[in-house]
Amino acid sequence: MCLIVIAWRAHPEIPSLVAANRDEHHGRPTAAARWWTDRTDILAGRDLVAGGTWIGITRTGRFAAVTNYRDPAAGRADAPSRGSLVRSWLESTASVAEGLAHLRKVGADYNGFCLLFSDGARLGVYESVRGEGRELGSGVFVLSNHLLDTPWPKVTMAKSRLLDALRGGADTQSVLALLRDETPAPDEQLPRTGVDLQTERRLSSAFIRAADYGTRSSTLISIDRSRRVRFDEWSWDSAGAEVGRITLQFALQSAQTQA
């Protein structure tokens, strides 16, 4: 993931809403979101190289999404896939507090990342470059390839547009529009993350369109106050054209019901 926007306990009708773009090399084998056959309680896409995922939710409302922390000089080729962090959270029964404690022990094993994750009742964030995480209260939060709510142009724009969408009822098209925003940041507002200027420009928009690397999918997960989940995912090709879409709806189960 390179952009995650979440409204947590910020709307009376939609207590939880997560919208995210996955940016990845177009050649990396990927399975679109579906209920997993080997873990039928998990709804997520799948990285067919390492077996993990970038965003997903379970039948009980556990969810997680991960972004990479952009620092080319710090990457290690032998580090485990960060997608395994999302998968292991979805497979677990840990609380957010227990998840934070675990991540403090293992976070340094991975290349830089930020993980947003919920046990259904609470929301947490872990930022590996700081070696620390915390539980979040109600509000609207945004992650790109840095720390939570770092004021990069696409972060501040995405937060503003989600707040506007929430005031209008957060319909699917208004949220998708913020994910599809291709407006680049002015050069004077670009972050300096260790990549060349041309790449920094290309990565500065919410939606990235390029032949080799760009936005592969956009995901919207909403949970309403009656505990019904709607999961939408759009898949995009290297030209930015839609090549697939799924929409699934289901009622959340209690952990006891699932067991």
Side-chain angles (χ1 to χ4, degrees):
M1 282 296 175
C2 281
L3 183 66
I4 306 169
V5 189
I6 181 166
W8 178 255
R9 308 297 189 248
H11 190 284
E13 301 296 325
I14 312 169
S16 178
L17 185 151
V18 186
N21 278 343
R22 182 203 183 205
D23 301 337
E24 180 56 86
H25 292 283
H26 287 289
R28 189 174 179 103
T30 295
R34 66 194 68 181
W35 291 108
W36 288 7
T37 56
D38 54 337
R39 281 298 303 254
T40 57
D41 57 326
I42 294 176
L43 173 58
R46 205 161 200 170
D47 171 25
L48 298 180
V49 176
T53 187
W54 49 96
I55 186 171
I57 188 170
T58 72
R59 295 184 188 275
T60 61
R62 297 176 71 83
F63 65 81
V66 68
T67 62
N68 300 344
Y69 185 96
R70 193 185 306 147
D71 184 358
R76 306 191 317 272
D78 61 344
S81 168
R82 288 162 286 202
S84 65
L85 294 162
V86 177
R87 176 175 181 163
S88 63
W89 175 254
L90 297 176
E91 291 176 335
S92 80
T93 57
S95 67
V96 164
E98 291 168 335
L100 288 170
H102 174 69
L103 288 165
R104 292 182 187 108
K105 295 177 182 177
V106 305
D109 296 339
Y110 296 80
N111 287 324
F113 70 89
C114 289
L115 184 73
L116 272 169
F117 59 104
S118 172
D119 55 16
R122 294 174 175 82
L123 176 69
V125 63
Y126 186 83
E127 299 162 327
S128 71
V129 295
R130 299 176 60 222
E132 192 51 74
R134 60 199 182 278
E135 183 180 331
L136 298 171
S138 60
V140 173
F141 308 96
V142 186
L143 263 178
S144 185
N145 299 112
H146 205 261
L147 304 177
L148 186 70
D149 285 333
T150 296
W152 289 359
K154 69 177 174 183
V155 169
T156 56
M157 180 59 70
K159 177 177 282 193
S160 175
R161 293 188 68 172
L162 184 58
L163 287 166
D164 287 343
L166 288 169
R167 285 189 282 268
D171 64 279
T172 301
Q173 289 307 309
S174 64
V175 179
L176 178 60
L178 78 85
L179 295 176
R180 287 280 292 179
D181 185 4
E182 297 187 58
T183 307
D187 282 1
E188 64 272 16
Q189 295 180 24
L190 289 172
R192 296 293 185 262
T193 61
V195 299
D196 62 82
L197 179 59
Q198 183 176 355
T199 301
E200 206 76 81
R201 288 168 176 159
R202 180 162 54 92
L203 299 179
S204 69
S205 58
F207 189 93
I208 299 168
R209 187 196 304 257
D212 57 342
Y213 177 94
T215 301
R216 296 274 305 270
S217 60
S218 299
T219 307
L220 172 58
I221 305 172
S222 62
I223 305 174
D224 68 22
R225 66 175 183 172
S226 64
R227 291 174 51 84
R228 285 202 61 82
V229 179
R230 174 169 172 149
F231 184 107
D232 290 280
E233 184 183 88
W234 298 261
S235 298
W236 317 106
D237 66 13
S238 59
E242 182 180 323
V243 292
R245 180 183 176 183
I246 69 159
T247 297
L248 294 171
Q249 298 186 56
F250 61 97
L252 289 181
Q253 300 176 4
S254 68
Q256 292 78 10
T257 299
Q258 188 182 48

